[in-house]
Amino acid sequence: MSVLDSKIPKGPLADKWTKHKNDVNLVNPANKRNIDIIVVGTGLAGGSAAATLAELGYNVKTFCYQDSPRRAHSIAAQGGINAAKNYQGDGDSNYRLFYDTVKGGDYRSREGNVYRLAEVSANIIDQCVAQGVPFAREYGGMLDNRSFGGVLVSRTFYAKGQTGQQLLLGAYSAMNRQINRGKITPYNRHEMLDLVIVDGKARGIIARDLITGEIERHSAHAVVIASGGYGNAFFLSTNAMGSNATAAWKIHKRGAYFANPCYTQIHPTCIPVSGDHQSKLTLMSESLRNDGRIWVPKKKEDAIAIREGKKKAKDLSEDERDYYLERRYPSFGNLVPRDVASRAAKERCDAGFGVNKTGQAVFLDFASAIERYGKEQAAMHGNHNPSKEEITKLGKEVIENKYGNLFQMYEKIVDENPYESPMMIYPAVHYTMGGIWVDYNLQSTIPGCYVTGEANFSDHGANRLGASALMQGLADGYFVLPYTIGDYLSKDIKTGPIPTDSKEFDEAENKVREQLEKLINNKGSHSVDYFHKKLGHIMWNKCGMARNAKDLASAMTEIRALREEFWKEVKVPGELNEMNAELEKAMRVADFLELGELFAKDALHRNESCGGHFREEYQTEEGEALRDDENFMYVAAWEYTGDPATEVLHKEELKYENIEVKSRSYK
């Protein structure tokens, strides 16, 4: 039996999760009081897991680098959360959500996991409504839904453009209840810097208090990693500046396989880069593509005139505009999946049709939606011959109710009114589908070390559909992990407390201290950001939206050289035993400099295009991704060897028994 056997039960797809829940071992309530669990990360995946595990009776310790779990990057998810409730009566079902997710991931995800995700999705909405999450509602009081890319139904529940924030407040309130009961002990402003393994099992972590600089030991019977993705390896991304891969990378270096690192999502709807001064990019929700139409000028001379400020978007008539997604993908139009929309925008801009000063932007236009909604509202008010001004006023009110905070955010950043002129958008690094390999129980290859949410690889394949990140995080935390972790912990009911004065904790703490001291004592000449930006340029230019063998091979060489230079030339001011933001960043960038090389290695070995992994050598005549199912229908799980360049590849073969595998088409 392979190490990567995910132990998914046999039998009909719809019965697998139910059967598995019936078969797993349980821990009785009296014994749960004697078992400790560490949860690293308190976003939606970690916060929901911590609250649920504590409610079940386990003793939980939570760790986050922010000053409060409310600041986790889950707060930035804008557009919504998917669930197969079929409130719209438009043909949705668990199977349809499962099918759309597998197809959206370009047939590179695990069938059993994705169906389970679809199956529990409806429960998430009920849970969050009970917590008071203020989902948008229709006139009659029912929860409203909108559509997202890659689907033909409306299944996305939302709270204006603040869905992540509202869901996180729900999870945080559930956490607070358990904190008040004494079942959760929160360690805010703490960062996990290593995993401690005792007798082959995850038994604790080494953490640094980011206020005092003190290095601490924390033990538990199991460790849950819910620390998000690694998009900030690109430096410029839509992630918060503090988002990092350290927790996941540390467990990888302790033996947890890292799966599909090259599967990274480039989001099509971001505010374009404005210059080298930027430290991050801003996401404009994919929900805007419900009503916004994406276009560039049909003629290059018009695009040039707009770039030079000689023309404005509204100067071009409908006949002079190329609504290229509607032209290329008539069935899905502006709602094609993110990877497809991103590549299409890049192709138009590379061809010379970009519309901002750098030529790296396309228009997202709401004029048609404002007119459509305005006429509809006028008719509802009995005005069947409204003036153009009345239509515009009423239409803007509808758009403001649906997307108001997003429009406000855009105007504050760009200093243009998106109600009057189209937004300008361009793709940017957003989400990582790769992550730590986990089995059906969400356990990594290290016994007792579980991984949830974006930190694992399990549900999205090579491309995540919009509004599925919140769905996976809450599914893992509320409804999957609390069942599956009991199967492992049932063997620990007589273990007793895990001591922290063992040689394993000594060794792990000493290793962390040595690395921190090495950085502090390094007499280099360049800042941490200097190296991070250099890494970001390599990653974006050679491992970004389009990749090829030559660039990937040189990226590996360049990243290795940059890593060597980092350890010789980085300068970290301040002291070890104090608050030191530069030292925090240095540890994280050191990890990105290793992960980046593995990323390029994974992309180089995968001689196909699929989802967010687009190799220029493997594309159809129409420029679409060309998969190689015969040779690459597997999860690539990498085993750490001490050097990213020599990591060992393990393959988990993907089998599809319930859907037909075929070329993805959104035409």
Side-chain angles (χ1 to χ4, degrees):
M1 184 179 292
S2 167
V3 176
L4 301 187
D5 176 25
S6 58
K7 302 183 181 66
I8 297 177
K10 305 298 182 188
L13 190 64
D15 298 333
K16 289 181 189 294
W17 178 229
T18 301
K19 183 179 188 306
H20 190 65
K21 286 191 293 184
N22 290 338
D23 290 344
V24 295
N25 294 316
L26 302 177
V27 181
N28 91 40
N31 288 329
K32 285 174 183 163
R33 294 194 288 267
N34 301 318
I35 290 178
D36 304 321
I37 300 174
I38 285 172
V39 178
V40 179
T42 52
L44 282 180
S48 59
T52 309
L53 291 168
E55 189 172 358
L56 288 171
Y58 296 108
N59 306 309
V60 178
K61 290 181 180 181
T62 61
F63 293 81
C64 70
Y65 68 79
Q66 301 94 342
D67 61 350
S68 165
R70 288 175 303 145
R71 296 189 187 276
H73 190 59
S74 301
I75 201 171
Q78 299 163 338
I81 177 170
N82 288 331
K85 284 281 198 182
N86 196 32
Y87 282 166
Q88 309 302 308
D90 57 0
D92 203 8
S93 64
N94 287 347
Y95 182 86
R96 176 69 64 181
L97 174 52
F98 154 72
Y99 176 83
D100 287 343
T101 304
V102 173
K103 178 185 176 184
D106 219 354
Y107 304 94
R108 291 294 179 264
S109 53
R110 198 190 275 155
E111 250 192 2
N113 285 63
V114 179
Y115 193 87
R116 174 175 67 186
L117 178 65
E119 191 178 352
V120 304
S121 66
N123 299 337
I124 298 170
I125 305 304
D126 297 337
Q127 171 99 356
C128 294
V129 169
Q131 290 173 339
V133 173
F135 286 120
R137 293 181 181 268
E138 295 178 331
Y139 179 77
M142 292 287 284
L143 296 183
D144 195 14
N145 287 134
R146 55 191 180 201
S147 190
F148 258 60
V151 304
L152 294 173
V153 298
S154 295
R155 67 161 66 101
T156 304
F157 295 78
Y158 65 98
K160 256 193 176 178
Q162 308 169 349
T163 314
Q165 179 181 11
Q166 299 301 332
L167 291 170
L168 187 62
L169 288 172
Y172 181 60
S173 67
M175 275 186 69
N176 264 341
R177 180 167 178 266
Q178 300 306 322
I179 291 170
N180 291 337
R181 290 181 63 220
K183 295 305 293 181
I184 291 179
T185 305
Y187 291 86
N188 300 344
R189 296 296 283 129
H190 279 67
E191 185 154 34
M192 171 189 160
L193 295 179
D194 207 354
L195 181 73
V196 181
I197 297 177
V198 181
D199 296 330
K201 297 180 178 180
R203 291 303 198 191
I205 66 170
I206 304 297
R208 182 170 178 267
D209 183 325
L210 300 179
I211 303 295
T212 66
E214 183 181 354
I215 299 171
E216 301 174 355
R217 305 178 180 193
H218 296 274
S219 65
H221 297 89
V223 176
V224 178
I225 305 297
S227 54
Y230 48 91
N232 272 357
F234 287 78
F235 186 71
L236 284 181
S237 81
T238 66
N239 291 279
M241 281 299 292
S243 297
N244 64 86
T246 288
W249 192 250
K250 297 305 186 191
I251 69 170
H252 174 55
K253 294 175 80 166
R254 287 290 185 181
Y257 292 0
F258 206 106
N260 302 333
C262 76
Y263 288 165
T264 303
Q265 183 163 84
I266 313 291
H267 197 295
T269 318
C270 301
I271 296 178
V273 176
S274 59
D276 288 338
H277 62 280
Q278 275 183 277
S279 58
K280 77 176 298 294
L281 296 172
T282 302
L283 171 71
M284 299 308 296
S285 169
E286 183 179 330
S287 63
L288 295 172
R289 290 200 278 145
N290 271 288
D291 288 311
R293 299 177 71 194
I294 296 172
W295 65 275
V296 293
K298 283 183 179 178
K299 298 176 183 175
K300 278 189 186 177
E301 50 264 38
D302 286 336
I304 293 169
I306 289 173
R307 289 202 291 270
E308 293 177 348
K310 296 174 182 176
K311 279 189 176 182
K312 294 187 176 179
K314 55 188 175 186
D315 294 336
L316 271 61
S317 67
E318 284 292 303
D319 290 340
E320 294 173 309
R321 302 178 178 191
D322 177 16
Y323 295 96
Y324 58 88
L325 291 178
E326 297 171 32
R327 169 172 56 81
R328 289 178 60 176
Y329 308 101
S331 292
F332 284 74
N334 295 294
L335 287 174
V336 292
R338 291 173 176 177
D339 60 315
V340 177
S342 293
R343 282 196 296 275
K346 180 179 187 295
E347 184 275 326
R348 287 290 80 195
C349 291
D350 288 351
F353 295 91
V355 294
N356 71 343
K357 289 180 181 178
T358 66
Q360 300 294 302
V362 298
F363 285 129
L364 179 63
D365 196 333
F366 289 85
S368 296
I370 289 170
E371 182 179 356
R372 184 177 75 251
Y373 284 128
K375 289 179 178 177
E376 184 181 283
Q377 289 296 307
M380 288 170 62
H381 289 93
N383 183 357
H384 297 289
N385 192 26
S387 66
K388 186 174 181 181
E389 290 74 20
E390 288 173 315
I391 290 171
T392 301
K393 179 177 179 293
L394 291 169
K396 284 180 179 177
E397 288 174 359
V398 174
I399 293 294
E400 184 177 4
N401 285 332
K402 295 180 78 172
Y403 312 112
N405 62 305
L406 298 172
F407 276 54
Q408 182 184 37
M409 184 169 70
Y410 180 88
E411 186 169 6
K412 282 184 177 293
I413 293 170
V414 181
D415 196 25
E416 283 189 7
N417 183 347
Y419 294 100
E420 304 295 336
S421 58
M423 290 182 180
M424 286 188 289
I425 58 167
Y426 194 70
V429 172
H430 178 54
Y431 186 92
T432 52
M433 286 75 66
I436 298 297
W437 184 93
V438 291
D439 63 13
Y440 192 59
N441 285 342
L442 305 183
Q443 185 173 220
S444 71
T445 45
I446 300 172
C449 183
Y450 289 76
V451 188
T452 63
E454 189 180 359
N456 76 31
F457 87 102
S458 68
D459 292 356
H460 305 299
N463 173 60
R464 175 176 69 79
L465 292 184
S468 287
L470 304 185
M471 176 174 63
Q472 187 211 346
L474 293 181
D476 286 355
Y478 283 138
F479 298 111
V480 179
L481 182 74
Y483 277 101
T484 60
I485 201 169
D487 192 46
Y488 172 81
L489 293 172
S490 64
K491 303 171 184 66
D492 263 330
I493 59 175
K494 295 182 180 179
T495 300
I498 307 295
T500 59
D501 58 356
S502 63
K503 68 179 190 305
E504 289 87 358
F505 274 90
D506 290 344
E507 181 264 333
E509 182 182 334
N510 290 338
K511 183 180 173 186
V512 167
R513 193 178 299 278
E514 284 172 14
Q515 190 174 21
L516 290 167
E517 288 174 348
K518 184 175 181 181
L519 288 166
I520 285 289
N521 296 326
N522 210 46
K523 303 305 179 187
S525 55
H526 295 300
S527 70
V528 176
D529 278 350
Y530 169 86
F531 291 100
H532 198 178
K533 286 181 179 180
K534 277 198 159 189
L535 174 64
H537 279 298
I538 297 168
M539 295 295 291
W540 180 251
N541 292 332
K542 300 191 174 182
C543 308
M545 268 194 283
R547 307 155 182 180
N548 59 65
K550 181 183 176 183
D551 281 349
L552 290 168
S554 69
M556 289 183 67
T557 303
E558 289 176 37
I559 293 170
R560 172 177 289 271
L562 185 64
R563 187 167 69 245
E564 291 171 0
E565 184 189 355
F566 171 86
W567 285 106
K568 290 176 185 174
E569 292 296 331
V570 71
K571 180 179 177 62
V572 180
E575 300 297 330
L576 172 60
N577 298 314
E578 64 180 13
M579 182 186 289
N580 190 335
E582 284 299 300
L583 182 57
E584 294 171 36
K585 279 198 293 186
M587 291 290 283
R588 297 164 186 169
V589 172
D591 293 328
F592 283 140
L593 284 164
E594 294 180 344
L595 195 160
E597 187 175 351
L598 179 62
F599 185 119
K601 179 183 175 74
D602 185 47
L604 181 60
H605 109 277
R606 189 170 282 278
N607 293 322
E608 65 164 353
S609 291
C610 56
H613 168 64
F614 190 77
R615 284 280 296 271
E616 293 170 345
E617 307 97 321
Y618 307 102
Q619 56 182 302
T620 66
E621 291 180 2
E622 297 172 319
E624 305 294 346
L626 185 62
R627 293 196 323 264
D628 181 353
D629 293 337
E630 185 176 344
N631 295 304
F632 289 97
M633 193 178 278
Y634 60 76
V635 176
W638 297 93
E639 180 183 3
Y640 187 73
T641 60
D643 180 354
T646 62
E647 293 213 9
V648 177
L649 173 63
H650 298 267
K651 299 178 182 179
E652 179 196 346
E653 302 297 334
L654 294 169
K655 298 181 177 65
Y656 294 97
E657 300 169 351
N658 297 275
I659 56 174
E660 179 188 356
V661 177
K662 54 188 178 183
S663 295
R664 228 177 18 152
S665 174
Y666 293 95
K667 295 183 185 298

